[in-house]
Amino acid sequence: MIPYPQIRPEIITIGPISVRWYGLMYVLGFLSTYYLAPRLPKARDIGLTSERMQDLILYLAVGLVLGARLGFLVFYQYDNWSFYLRNPLEIIATWHGGMSFHGGFIGSVVAGWIFCRRTELPFWGLADCVAVTAPIGLGLGRLGNFINGELYGRPSTVPWAMIFPDGGPFPRHPSQIYEALGEGVVLFAILWWMSRRPRENGVVLTAFLFFYGAIRFFLEFFREPDENLGFVWRQWTMGQVLCTAMMLVAVFLYWQRRIRRRPSADVRK
């Protein structure tokens, strides 16, 4: 067992205002997308410039935050809606915690689609560019979870297990670090390699959906299930159910692409 590093969630506090590590991770994630996405080969092909990225980042930030919060309420608080109906301000109280990746992903997709409608950029090509850089923000976000001591792993006896401040007396997997490596480093390496060669629009996004879903599904076996939900189907968590849906969507998109490529049947003469 190794000791959990006691890092204050707040970087700096001035009166009632606090700058938190978790918020900084969001900012760094968006900055990485702003810097890297326009420099990808496909970005040049579709006309995604740094100037357009400035507007896109605003769309994505709004879509991600709204989607992540609403996704948390829909996917993880469906048995507690009466509380939010009695306390409607809690719906927007993101500072109390509660953000869902899958909701944030849906919100970002909707925001990106609206942006493409207004700028006439190709949606699938734009989605490919953003998907390549998304793992950077995901990995940083998991580091923020680790600093906050939240979303910790299941009890374990591995030598690197830790006792988290809110995780009881048992050593646990530092599953946030596993996810930072898997959803961040490994996924980024896969998508970055794919982006180096010309590919049909939508291929990289499809790969993101499948590989994120597969990596997260596996790593959920090391993560403590959500306290209010537990296992939602046999030994599956809500995260695994949603990741399965992501992988099925990826398979469907891949199948649709194969159908479009299939040559039409020869016409009899």
Side-chain angles (χ1 to χ4, degrees), residues 45-181:
D45 296 338
I46 66 174
L48 179 60
T49 62
S50 297
E51 289 73 20
R52 281 182 162 173
M53 274 302 303
Q54 293 179 14
D55 296 329
L56 175 61
I57 289 296
L58 177 60
Y59 278 75
L60 293 179
V62 174
L64 186 146
V65 173
L66 290 178
R69 184 59 177 174
L70 292 176
F72 171 74
L73 299 179
V74 172
F75 299 139
Y76 295 95
Q77 295 292 313
Y78 56 82
D79 59 345
N80 198 29
W81 285 350
S82 59
F83 168 78
Y84 290 97
L85 291 176
R86 295 193 305 269
N87 304 276
L89 290 179
E90 287 294 323
I91 295 176
I92 61 173
T94 57
W95 53 90
H96 290 167
M99 305 285 274
S100 162
F101 160 77
H102 295 91
F105 175 76
I106 295 172
S108 298
V109 169
V110 172
W113 179 81
I114 294 173
F115 177 82
C116 289
R117 292 277 294 181
R118 294 186 174 182
T119 60
E120 299 184 350
L121 288 175
F123 170 77
W124 293 105
L126 179 71
D128 282 347
C129 294
V130 175
V132 172
T133 63
I136 300 176
L138 293 174
L140 291 172
R142 293 309 182 194
L143 292 180
N145 294 143
F146 180 75
I147 292 173
N148 287 344
E150 60 191 4
L151 305 183
Y152 41 73
R154 303 182 190 184
S156 173
T157 58
V158 297
W160 54 87
M162 300 178 181
I163 296 178
F164 288 88
D166 297 326
F170 306 107
R172 296 177 176 273
H173 283 289
S175 57
Q176 311 97 321
I177 303 300
Y178 302 170
E179 292 186 85
L181 293 173

Side-chain angles (χ1 to χ4, degrees), residues 206-223:
T206 301
F208 172 86
L209 287 168
F210 183 83
F211 286 111
Y212 175 89
I215 293 170
R216 170 82 181 268
F217 184 95
F218 171 72
L219 293 178
E220 282 278 326
F221 285 113
F222 300 95
R223 178 171 158 179

Side-chain angles (χ1 to χ4, degrees), residues 35-45 48 128-133 191-192 195-196:
Y35 179 78
L36 291 177
R39 290 164 173 77
L40 294 171
K42 177 163 288 189
R44 294 190 291 269
D45 296 338
L48 179 60
D128 282 347
C129 294
V130 175
V132 172
T133 63
L191 300 180
W192 183 262
S195 71
R196 297 293 86 193

